[in-house]
């Protein structure tokens, strides 16, 4: 009997180490996690970890490069937006929340450590929101040029849209009982308000 289904490949050694590091650091913090603990959770020895990544810092840098949302957002803006303001912003908002939720443990590491992360790790972490801000700024500038929105400062519009969604994500991340944030209706309503505010 033939089976056409391809078996699901288990994560390679590098990804296993990255995922173990993210899990442990989200729980204990960057400084509270050792390479020995990461290696043990990944099922490898410490020598293998150092052979793949060199150090704990470079390991976390690689996690931010490998995961998070910057490149996927770049592809979304390049391939899926149509120029219909409300539909575009709904798609951006929903995709943002999906990707942030997938990467919530990385966000937890940044929140837990604050400014205590090594500079190069911090640079990797902020690269993604900086990338999204640039994409949104360019999008709003193009929409303003076509007369579809009123925007003297597309960069501030980009920040407003990001902060609105980041605030909703953070309130869900904390899972505060009774916070009342239901994501889908929030995205729909906030986009509608945003569109009304910038339409000519």
């Amino acid at each position: 009997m033939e089976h056409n289904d391809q078996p699901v490949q288990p994560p390679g050694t590098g990804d296993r180490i990255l995922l173990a590091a993210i899990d442990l650091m989200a729980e204990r913090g960057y400084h509270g996690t050792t390479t020995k603990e990461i290696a043990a959770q990944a099922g490898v020895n410490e020598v293998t970890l150092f052979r793949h990544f060199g150090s704990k810092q470079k390991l976390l840098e690689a996690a931010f490069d490998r995961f998070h949302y910057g490149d996927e957002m770049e592809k979304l803006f390049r391939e899926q937006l149509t120029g219909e303001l409300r539909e575009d912003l709904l798609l951006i908002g929903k995709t943002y929340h999906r990707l942030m939720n997938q990467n919530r443990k990385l966000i937890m590491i940044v929140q837990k450590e604050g400014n205590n992360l090594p500079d190069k790790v911090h640079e990797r972490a902020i690269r993604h929101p900086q990338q999204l801000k640039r994409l949104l700024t360019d999008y709003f500038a193009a929409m303003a040029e076509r007369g579809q929105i009123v925007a003297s400062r597309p960069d501030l519009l980009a920040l407003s849209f990001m902060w609105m969604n980041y605030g909703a994500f953070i309130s869900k991340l904390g899972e505060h009982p009774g916070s009342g944030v239901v994501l889908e209706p929030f995205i729909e309503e906030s986009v509608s308000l945003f569109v009304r505010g910038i339409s000519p």
Side-chain angles (χ1 to χ4, degrees):
M1 185 175 176
E2 290 185 0
H3 294 280
N4 294 323
D5 293 336
Q6 293 294 323
V8 176
Q9 294 295 320
T13 302
D15 276 356
R16 285 209 321 278
I17 295 169
L18 287 174
L19 292 169
I22 292 167
D23 282 346
L24 288 170
M25 289 181 193
E27 181 184 337
R28 304 176 189 177
Y30 172 78
H31 295 287
T33 304
T34 67
T35 51
K36 187 173 184 179
E37 291 167 335
I38 295 166
Q41 178 141 325
V44 301
N45 60 46
E46 210 173 357
V47 172
T48 301
L49 182 152
F50 288 125
R51 191 167 63 242
H52 273 77
F53 298 103
S55 69
K56 184 171 74 169
Q57 176 178 320
K58 290 192 179 301
L59 170 55
L60 188 53
E61 289 173 26
F64 278 102
D65 288 342
R66 171 74 175 79
F67 303 108
H68 219 355
Y69 64 73
D71 292 339
E72 286 192 62
M73 277 295 189
E74 191 93 38
K75 186 176 181 185
L76 173 82
F77 275 76
R78 188 173 61 247
E79 298 178 3
Q80 296 186 45
L81 300 188
T82 64
E84 293 293 329
L85 182 63
R86 186 174 186 279
E87 295 309 309
D88 285 349
L89 293 183
L90 280 173
L91 180 59
I92 294 165
K94 289 175 182 178
T95 304
Y96 173 85
H97 283 283
R98 176 177 60 79
L99 294 173
M100 289 288 277
N101 188 56
Q102 283 176 8
N103 294 291
R104 65 192 178 280
K105 288 184 179 179
L106 278 172
I107 312 301
M108 288 168 70
I109 295 168
V110 175
Q111 285 192 314
K112 193 179 287 284
E113 293 293 342
N115 293 324
N116 294 321
L117 287 172
D119 287 345
K120 288 193 175 180
V121 174
H122 185 69
E123 286 169 15
R124 295 298 209 289
I126 65 172
R127 177 176 67 84
H128 300 276
Q130 287 173 339
Q131 195 172 355
L132 179 56
K133 181 183 176 238
R134 175 182 53 77
L135 291 167
L136 279 166
T137 299
D138 291 347
Y139 173 79
F140 287 133
M143 294 293 276
E145 278 180 25
R146 294 204 294 266
Q148 293 183 260
I149 66 171
V150 177
S152 59
R153 291 287 304 274
D155 58 329
L156 295 183
L157 277 187
L159 280 175
S160 297
F161 189 79
M162 289 173 65
W163 287 340
M164 175 176 73
N165 283 286
Y166 183 71
F169 167 75
I170 289 298
S171 72
K172 288 294 286 182
L173 182 67
E175 294 296 337
H176 299 302
S179 66
V181 177
V182 181
L183 197 55
E184 196 77 18
F186 167 81
I187 295 172
E188 295 273 349
E189 184 64 19
S190 62
V191 165
S192 293
L193 288 168
F194 202 87
V195 168
R196 285 204 297 273
I198 63 178
S199 294

